[in-house]
């Protein structure tokens, strides 16, 4: 019996739900699912310019595990780019560093809980406008 997978640490959720190719309707494309930990490896290694050793330490995984996740993410990005497919960012075996909420109205990301679970930027009277992303 294999040992259970350790949850990968993700600093914060992406600002978007995914990407789609320009000039092709979303419903007309196939979708590629990129997991949150794959997104995080690309962000840390390419965008934040960390070494794979530093990124692995930040995500609390081994360097070979980070490399496998990173290579999987790059293959998905390349496939979407070459074949004109959409990328959806969701799922995976991860946990956020802190509690994150997303406003259901304006999609703003909020770390930590605000009073009565309200966004503060939206002119809404809806008290349940924040969605907990940690669940």
């Amino acid at each position: 019996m294999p040992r259970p997978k350790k949850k990968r640490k993700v600093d914060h959720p992406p600002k978007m739900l995914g990407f789609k190719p320009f000039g092709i309707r979303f419903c007309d494309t196939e979708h590629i699912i990129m997991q949150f930990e794959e997104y995080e490896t690309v962000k840390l290694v390419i965008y934040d310019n960390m070494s794979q050793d530093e990124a692995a330490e930040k995500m609390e995984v081994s360097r070979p595990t980070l490399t496998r996740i990173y290579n999987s993410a790059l293959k998905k990005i390349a496939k979407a780019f070459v074949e004109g497919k959409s990328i959806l960012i969701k799922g995976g075996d991860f946990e956020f560093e802190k509690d994150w909420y997303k406003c259901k109205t304006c999609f703003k990301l909020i770390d930590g809980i605000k009073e009565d679970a309200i966004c503060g930027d939206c002119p809404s009277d809806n008290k349940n406008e924040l969605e907990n992303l940690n669940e």
Side-chain angles (χ1 to χ4, degrees):
M1 182 163 130
R3 67 181 179 87
K5 277 187 177 179
K6 187 177 173 185
K7 291 198 181 285
R8 285 75 190 251
K9 300 288 183 190
V10 175
D11 187 34
H12 58 79
K15 294 180 180 183
M16 66 290 174
L17 300 175
F19 287 94
K20 75 173 202 70
F22 181 75
I24 300 175
R25 293 185 325 175
F26 183 76
C27 60
D28 291 341
T29 66
E30 287 185 42
H31 310 303
I32 294 175
I33 305 297
M34 176 177 280
Q35 297 178 336
F36 278 102
E37 60 263 31
E38 292 171 323
Y39 164 83
E40 185 75 358
T41 61
V42 171
K43 181 186 148 310
L44 293 175
V45 174
I46 297 175
Y47 184 78
D48 294 340
N49 201 28
M50 285 187 182
S51 70
Q52 287 192 10
D53 288 327
E54 293 170 324
E57 187 175 311
K58 185 159 177 67
M59 290 182 67
E60 298 183 8
V61 296
S62 69
R63 205 238 359 109
T65 297
L66 181 112
T67 300
R68 282 192 299 276
I69 297 168
Y70 178 70
N71 287 339
S72 172
L74 291 181
K75 285 181 184 179
K76 289 177 180 183
I77 292 168
K79 185 172 184 165
F81 187 74
V82 172
E83 298 179 12
K85 295 183 178 184
S86 298
I87 297 175
L88 298 177
I89 303 171
K90 64 180 184 179
D93 197 19
F94 72 97
E95 62 186 11
F96 292 119
E97 291 284 328
K98 52 188 165 184
D99 290 338
W100 283 96
Y101 299 85
K102 182 178 256 185
C103 177
K104 295 176 186 175
T105 305
C106 70
F107 306 107
K108 175 183 172 185
L109 290 172
I110 300 168
D111 62 333
I113 188 68
K114 302 294 182 192
E115 66 284 339
D116 296 328
I118 59 171
C119 173
D121 287 349
C122 295
S124 172
D125 293 331
N126 184 0
K127 295 292 184 195
N128 296 321
E129 63 190 39
L130 295 185
E131 173 186 9
N132 188 341
L133 299 177
N134 301 310
E135 297 174 348

